[in-house]
Amino acid sequence: MRKEWEQAHTVTEELVEGPPSRRANATLTACPIGNHLWCIGGEFFSEDGRAYFYNDVFRYTPDKDEWRKFVSPTCPGPRSAHAVVASPAAGGKLFLFGGEFSSLHQNTFHHYRDFWCFDITTHSWDRIDTKIRPSARSGHRMAIWKHFIVLFGGFYDPGITTRYLNDLWLFDTQEYKWKQVEFRETDTKPSPRSGFSFLPCADGIILHGGYCKEFAKGKRPVGVMLDDTWLLKVALPSATDAAPASPTTMKGTAISSVKPGSKAQGTSSSSAASGSHTSHGQLAIKWERRKRPSDAYAPTLRSGCTMTLWAAKATGILFGGVTDEDTNEETLESVFWNDLYGYQLSGKGKWSSMTLKKPKEKGAKLKGVKKKQKGKDAKWKAQNSDAEEEEGGGDDDIRSPSIVTELTTDDVHTSDPMLTIPLPRYNAMLAVLRNTLYIYGGIYERGSREYTLNDFHSLQLDKMERYLCLKASDVIIPDGEVESSSDDYDGDDDDDDDDDDDMDDESEGGGDNGTDRDVGESGNFGVVQREPMLVGNREGMSRTALQEAPPEGPAPLIEMESNPSKDELRSQATAFMGVAKDTTRSVEDVQSTPLPGETLAMFYARSREHWTQKAHGNSDNKGKQLRRDGFALAQERFDAYKPILMEVEKILQEAGLDEEEMRRGAAGGPPSAGASGSSRNRR
C-alpha cells in the first residue's frame, strides 16, 4: 500500500526555458511562503477552432528568472476559468475549485465542482471530497480570510443558456468542511456575476465589478458590465457571544457548522443571536454596498479584468480590460485598455490612477555627464593637437568624444517609459509578489482575429518607473485595416438601422453573437465599431468560414420522410442522435442543424449569420428583406427537424436524463453563440 501511495504521489520536476505556452483564463498566484509565482491550467483556442485545455503547474522564481514545471499523477484534470487561493498554513497550500473543460473539437463541454489542495513543499496534489460542496461552475472567485476560504458567484453553462450565480460558500481549512451562507430575501447582496474582483481585507472581502448576461423573453441576450463595489463584512465573535447549540445553517447574517451529510440549506432563525455556534464561535457575515467614490480616478466601466492583491499596501491592482458598448443588434463598439489602477481596500475605498513617472528633463540628466566629460575633452585635444597641425587641420576639425557621448546619452534618455507599457488586452493574469506586479498573457484582438498572448512583464509598484519585458510575445500580429461591417451592404446602413426592431419581433429574440474586436495602435486603448460575429466562441465559427460556405447549404443529417410512422420516426431520431455526435461534421453542418431543446428563436440566434449568407447567395435582396429571407430559411429548416427533435427528447427522457443533461449531450453540438461564446472571453 505504501509503494502504491508513493507511486501515485511521485512528482517530476523539469526546468523549462520560459513562461508557459499561449493560454488564457489560467491562474497566477503569489507563493505564500516564498518568492515564487504559481501558474496553473488555462486554455488556448487555435485558429482552426480547436480547443486546448491544460492542467500543468509552473513555478516562476524572479531571483533566478527561472521557470520550473511540476507533474503529479494525482493532479486535477485540464481546465480553465477555475479559482485558486494560497494559504501559508502547514508549509504552504494552494486550494483549487471548479473550472471548465472542452474536448479538442468542442463537441463535449462540462464544468467541474471538484476541490483540490496543492502542497507547496511536496509539490503534490490531494483531492478533498466532501458531501456538501458548491455546485459546478467557472468564472467564480475565491479569497482567503483568516482560516476560511470564501467562494462567490461564477456561471454554469449547460449548453443552451448561461446561468449566473451569486451564492456564497465558506470552507474551513481547520475542519475541512464547506458551509453555505444563506441570506434573507430582504437582505442586500450582489447580483449574479462572473469574472469579478474578490480581495481580502481586514474587515472581510471586497468584491468589485464583473460580467453577466441579461436574458429577456423575446429579445436577444445582452452582455452587462458591472462596476459596483461590495464589502462582505466578516466578524469573529467574542468569547461572551459564543454559546453551545445544535449545529445548523443560518439564514441572515450568520453561519455555523453543518452536520456531516446534512443539507447545506438549513432552517432560518429569527435573529443572528439565536443561532448556533461552531467550535470557533459563530461568524457574523453581512454584505454592505460601498458608495462609488466621487473622484475622477476610478476606471471606466469594463470587463475582462480582475484585480490582484498588493498586500504590502492593502491595495487592489487592476490592469487592462475591455469595454463593450452594445449599441444595437448590428453594431458593437469595443474599447481595449492597458491602463493601471489601484483601489485602497481599507476605509471607504478609494481609486487611484497609477501612471508611470515622467523621466527627468534631458538637460538636467546630461549636466553631470558634460561636466565629467569636459576634463576628458581637454586632455584628448592636447594629445591630438600636434598631429592635427601637421596635417593642416585646426581645432574645428577635431571631433571630440563628448559629441559622440552626448548623442548616445541623448538617445538613451529620450526613451519614453510609456513605450514599455504592454499592449491593450483583456483576461490578463496578474499577481503581485512583494512590491512587484507581474503580468502574463491575455487576449489581444485585431479585426476578426483573436490572439492569445504569452508575453511576460513586471513593474515595480513602489517606483513606477517603467515596465520590464521579461519575455516578449512570439505571436505574429499582422498589420491591417479594421474590417467594416458597412462593406457588406453599401448604402444600406440606414435601412438596416431602421429595421432592427422589426426583425426583433419577427425572430422572437434574434441572436447574441460573439466577439469581434480590434485594438488601436497607440495610447492606452483601441476602439473599433463592428458587427457582432461568432468569432471567439466554442463553435469556432469565423466570418471567413461563413463567407466560403457553399450557397446551396449542407445536406441534412438524415433523410427525412414526410408523415413517417411512429416506428419510422423513432428510427430517424435514433439515427439523428448517432450522426449528430460525429466530430467530422463540417462547421456549416453543425451550424445549420437545430438542437434538442432549442426554440426557433434560439436556433436562429445561433445560426443567423449562416442563413443571411445563404439568402444573399440566392437573391439580390438587401437589408430588411435579406434578413427576412434568412429567417424564413431558418424556420423552414427548424420545422423540418421539429418532429425528430421531439422524438429525441422523448428518448432521452426515457433514459432518465434531465433537461440540462439532455441539452448538453443529446446532439453533441456546440452551445449557442449568444449563451456561452462571449462568456468565455469575459471570465
Side-chain angles (χ1 to χ4, degrees), residues 600-636:
L600 174 59
M602 292 177 179
F603 173 55
Y604 181 64
R606 175 170 66 87
S607 58
R608 62 181 307 165
E609 190 73 17
H610 165 77
W611 299 113
T612 302
Q613 291 289 336
K614 187 176 180 182
H616 183 63
N618 294 339
S619 69
D620 296 329
N621 293 331
K622 295 181 180 180
K624 175 181 176 181
Q625 189 57 46
L626 181 66
R627 294 197 300 273
R628 289 184 180 277
D629 293 344
F631 179 76
L633 293 174
Q635 185 174 18
E636 181 181 352

Side-chain angles (χ1 to χ4, degrees), residues 38-149:
W38 294 94
C39 181
I40 301 175
E43 67 186 11
F44 171 64
F45 286 74
S46 62
E47 296 177 0
D48 58 359
R50 298 189 178 190
Y52 299 88
F53 285 74
Y54 306 100
N55 64 343
D56 38 19
V57 177
F58 291 90
R59 186 189 70 188
Y60 176 68
T61 305
D63 297 339
K64 301 178 181 179
D65 192 23
E66 175 186 273
W67 285 90
R68 289 185 177 270
K69 181 179 179 180
F70 298 90
V71 180
S72 171
T74 58
C75 64
R79 68 190 65 204
S80 69
H82 49 283
V84 171
V85 292
S87 170
K93 307 284 186 183
L94 299 178
F95 293 92
L96 179 152
F97 182 86
E100 62 186 58
F101 170 80
S102 172
S103 61
L104 182 64
H105 297 284
Q106 306 180 59
N107 58 308
T108 59
F109 173 83
H110 66 269
H111 292 268
Y112 290 103
R113 63 176 301 194
D114 49 353
F115 189 44
W116 293 81
C117 177
F118 179 78
D119 191 303
I120 294 177
T121 304
T122 63
H123 307 139
S124 61
W125 286 97
D126 285 302
R127 180 166 176 167
I128 303 174
D129 288 318
T130 57
K131 191 171 183 179
I132 303 299
R133 54 181 168 166
S135 60
R137 67 190 67 199
S138 55
H140 54 292
R141 297 292 184 262
M142 295 195 303
I144 193 161
W145 189 85
K146 305 295 185 183
H147 59 275
F148 292 98
I149 295 174

Side-chain angles (χ1 to χ4, degrees), residues 279-299:
S279 59
H280 310 289
Q282 183 185 31
L283 283 176
I285 301 177
K286 181 181 180 180
W287 283 109
E288 293 181 357
R289 180 163 183 169
R290 283 190 169 181
K291 293 183 179 179
R292 182 174 176 86
S294 58
D295 54 55
Y297 300 107

Side-chain angles (χ1 to χ4, degrees), residues 17-19 28 37 60-67 420 422 436-440 454-459 467-473:
E17 293 183 357
L28 191 64
L37 294 175
Y60 176 68
T61 305
D63 297 339
K64 301 178 181 179
D65 192 23
E66 175 186 273
W67 285 90
T420 66
T436 302
L437 169 68
Y438 293 89
I439 303 174
Y440 168 63
N454 63 344
D455 52 345
F456 190 42
H457 302 264
S458 68
L459 172 67
Y467 287 85
L468 178 62
C469 182
L470 302 173
K471 197 269 183 182
S473 177

Side-chain angles (χ1 to χ4, degrees), residues 457-505:
H457 302 264
S458 68
L459 172 67
Q460 288 187 265
L461 297 174
D462 53 344
K463 295 183 178 180
M464 293 299 296
E465 293 178 345
R466 61 178 56 233
Y467 287 85
L468 178 62
C469 182
L470 302 173
K471 197 269 183 182
S473 177
D474 54 13
V475 180
I476 300 176
I477 303 176
D479 294 331
E481 295 297 329
V482 179
E483 291 185 2
S484 174
S485 59
S486 62
D487 294 338
D488 296 336
Y489 310 112
D490 293 335
D492 210 46
D493 294 340
D494 296 336
D495 182 58
D496 290 351
D497 294 338
D498 295 338
D499 298 332
D500 285 338
D501 296 335
D502 295 339
M503 284 308 300
D504 285 341
D505 297 336

Side-chain angles (χ1 to χ4, degrees), residues 172-456:
D172 191 328
T173 59
Q174 296 179 352
E175 295 185 352
Y176 268 50
K177 291 181 179 179
W178 280 105
K179 307 163 189 177
Q180 184 177 8
V181 184
E182 289 192 80
F183 297 92
R184 293 182 291 266
E185 292 186 2
T186 55
D187 293 334
T188 58
K189 54 184 177 292
S191 59
R193 67 190 69 198
S194 70
F196 49 91
S197 298
F198 206 54
L199 300 177
C201 65
D203 296 328
I205 311 290
I206 295 293
L207 181 152
H208 174 75
Y211 179 86
C212 68
K213 277 185 174 290
E214 289 183 349
F215 299 90
K217 186 175 181 181
K219 296 183 179 180
R220 61 189 180 91
V222 177
V224 179
M225 297 170 292
L226 304 170
D227 64 349
D228 50 344
T229 304
W230 296 76
L231 169 63
L232 179 66
K233 199 168 185 177
V234 185
L236 292 172
S238 61
T240 57
D241 294 335
S246 59
T248 180
T249 301
M250 295 289 300
K251 279 190 175 183
T253 59
I255 180 172
S256 58
S257 63
V258 179
K259 287 184 178 180
S262 66
K263 292 184 178 180
Q265 291 80 10
T267 58
S268 61
S269 174
S270 59
S271 66
S274 63
S276 58
H277 301 74
T278 67
S279 59
H280 310 289
Q282 183 185 31
L283 283 176
I285 301 177
K286 181 181 180 180
W287 283 109
E288 293 181 357
R289 180 163 183 169
R290 283 190 169 181
K291 293 183 179 179
R292 182 174 176 86
S294 58
D295 54 55
Y297 300 107
T300 57
L301 182 63
R302 63 186 70 185
S303 61
C305 56
T306 299
M307 284 193 286
T308 188
L309 177 65
W310 184 10
K313 299 295 184 180
T315 300
I317 304 297
L318 183 148
F319 175 83
V322 57
T323 301
D324 287 333
E325 184 178 351
D326 199 348
T327 55
N328 55 59
E329 189 174 346
E330 298 292 331
T331 306
L332 186 67
E333 184 176 282
S334 295
V335 181
F336 297 84
W337 306 96
N338 62 349
D339 45 1
L340 189 69
Y341 290 89
Y343 181 76
Q344 183 180 326
L345 301 177
S346 59
K348 297 182 179 180
K350 181 180 180 181
W351 285 102
S352 61
S353 178
M354 303 180 67
T355 57
L356 297 179
K357 293 180 180 179
K358 294 182 179 180
K360 295 181 180 179
E361 293 183 3
K362 180 177 60 177
K365 288 190 173 183
L366 292 180
K367 187 175 181 180
V369 177
K370 292 179 179 180
K371 188 175 181 180
K372 292 180 180 179
Q373 190 67 32
K374 187 175 181 180
K376 295 182 181 180
D377 292 347
K379 185 178 179 181
W380 185 87
K381 290 181 179 180
Q383 292 174 348
N384 292 274
S385 60
D386 295 338
E388 291 293 336
E389 290 175 359
E390 290 177 1
E391 294 179 5
D395 290 342
D396 294 338
D397 297 321
I398 299 176
R399 182 174 175 83
S400 171
S402 64
I403 300 177
V404 180
T405 304
E406 288 183 27
L407 291 174
T408 305
T409 309
D410 180 72
D411 291 340
V412 172
H413 289 293
T414 54
S415 177
D416 188 354
M418 300 299 290
L419 299 178
T420 66
I421 300 178
L423 288 173
R425 65 192 67 198
Y426 61 99
N427 284 4
M429 287 145 279
L430 309 180
V432 174
L433 195 58
R434 297 178 180 174
N435 292 318
T436 302
L437 169 68
Y438 293 89
I439 303 174
Y440 168 63
I443 300 176
Y444 177 101
E445 294 188 6
R446 183 186 294 278
S448 61
R449 299 283 297 277
E450 176 184 293
Y451 299 92
T452 303
L453 305 176
N454 63 344
D455 52 345
F456 190 42

